[in-house]
Amino acid sequence: AIWMTQSPSLLSASTGDRVTISCRMSQGISSYLAWYQQKPGKAPELLIYAASTLQSGVPSRFSGSGSGTDFTLTISCLQSEDFATYYCQQYYSFPFTFGPGTKVDIK
Amino acid sequence: QVQLQESGPGLVKPSETLSLTCAVSGYSISSGYYWGWIRQPPGKGLEWIGSIYHSGSTYYNPSLKSRVTISVDTSKNQFSLKLSSVTAADTAVYYCARVAPGGYYFDYWGQGTLVTVSS
């Protein structure tokens, strides 16, 4: 199985900040990576797939980049509704696995 | 708009079988796509359990494969999860989701249902 790490595990930020979350793979996965946002008590929501393609309806302040083993999710101007936990997921190889998550909270 | 809704007992005794159903609306399962189950223990991360195609072909996470069965009922437009010999470690919120057409990520999710394993 492919192991994934995310950093940081906790990120304290203010509205208007630019924030960056990293996701690293134990082996290369080309661009087979998705990002999700999860708010407390809610199901995850798909933000980005294929490492950098924005899901329909997702605000353009979200962007993704990377390929191979290193990936980044960027929120260009943090809004109040963006305080949540973010997960990456690889779908390059079976079993499909999720990162441990990065919680973005209010500074 | 595709919608998914999980249902099933919220409390299961240790060593028994957990059974959940996911009802799909807004899309006919028999038209295609894979459908899956993902779980999340309280305060922890996400774990893919397995997925099924409308034809019935399945993929399971090897870590759970010996205990998992996923089935589909196209006449009711729903699919189901059975997890046998449960322990407290199986306590989690269980989500059903649709596998996206472009790859094995999940574009539509149910709201999730908490299943607690306890005597």
Side-chain angles (χ1 to χ4, degrees), chain A residues 52-102:
Chain A
S52 61
T53 303
L54 210 59
Q55 172 71 346
S56 175
V58 174
S60 59
R61 61 181 180 273
F62 291 92
S63 64
S65 64
S67 67
T69 59
D70 294 309
F71 300 85
T72 299
L73 173 70
T74 300
I75 309 172
S76 60
C77 183
L78 199 67
Q79 302 298 302
S80 58
E81 60 266 32
D82 301 335
F83 291 100
T85 300
Y86 294 85
Y87 293 95
C88 53
Q89 179 225 332
Q90 67 82 17
Y91 53 99
Y92 175 79
S93 73
F94 171 82
F96 312 107
T97 46
F98 294 85
T102 293

Side-chain angles (χ1 to χ4, degrees), chain B residues 62-73:
Chain B
S63 69
L64 297 167
K65 185 176 182 178
S66 63
R67 298 194 291 132
V68 172
T69 302
I70 298 176
S71 59
V72 64
D73 186 339

Side-chain angles (χ1 to χ4, degrees), chain A residues 34 36 38 41-46 48-50 55 87 89-91 94-100, chain B residues 38 40 44-48 59-62 95 100 102-112:
Chain A
Y36 301 87
Q38 186 179 34
K42 300 293 187 183
E45 293 187 2
L46 178 65
I48 286 169
Y49 60 93
Q55 172 71 346
Y87 293 95
Q89 179 225 332
Q90 67 82 17
Y91 53 99
F94 171 82
F96 312 107
T97 46
F98 294 85
Chain B
I38 301 103
Q40 184 173 36
K44 296 187 178 181
L46 299 159
E47 179 181 35
W48 172 69
Y59 288 93
Y60 298 138
N61 191 323
Y95 296 100
Y104 221 101
Y105 51 92
F106 304 95
D107 58 356
Y108 291 97
W109 294 65
Q111 64 185 30

Side-chain angles (χ1 to χ4, degrees), chain B:
Chain B
Q1 177 78 349
V2 179
Q3 293 185 310
L4 300 94
Q5 178 68 59
E6 305 89 350
S7 62
L11 181 64
V12 180
K13 290 182 168 55
S15 80
E16 296 190 344
T17 296
L18 177 160
S19 296
L20 296 173
T21 296
C22 180
V24 179
S25 59
Y27 186 83
S28 172
I29 286 181
S30 58
S31 296
Y33 293 124
Y34 274 91
W35 304 84
W37 290 96
I38 301 103
R39 70 180 183 178
Q40 184 173 36
K44 296 187 178 181
L46 299 159
E47 179 181 35
W48 172 69
I49 298 170
S51 297
I52 190 164
Y53 195 53
H54 67 91
S55 63
S57 94
T58 53
Y59 288 93
Y60 298 138
N61 191 323
S63 69
L64 297 167
K65 185 176 182 178
S66 63
R67 298 194 291 132
V68 172
T69 302
I70 298 176
S71 59
V72 64
D73 186 339
T74 54
S75 67
K76 295 182 178 179
N77 215 39
Q78 64 186 35
F79 59 105
S80 299
L81 168 70
K82 291 188 186 297
L83 181 66
S84 64
S85 305
V86 297
T87 69
D90 295 310
T91 293
V93 175
Y94 286 76
Y95 296 100
C96 59
R98 190 184 81 166
V99 176
Y104 221 101
Y105 51 92
F106 304 95
D107 58 356
Y108 291 97
W109 294 65
Q111 64 185 30
T113 187
L114 174 63
V115 179
T116 301
V117 178
S118 175
S119 56

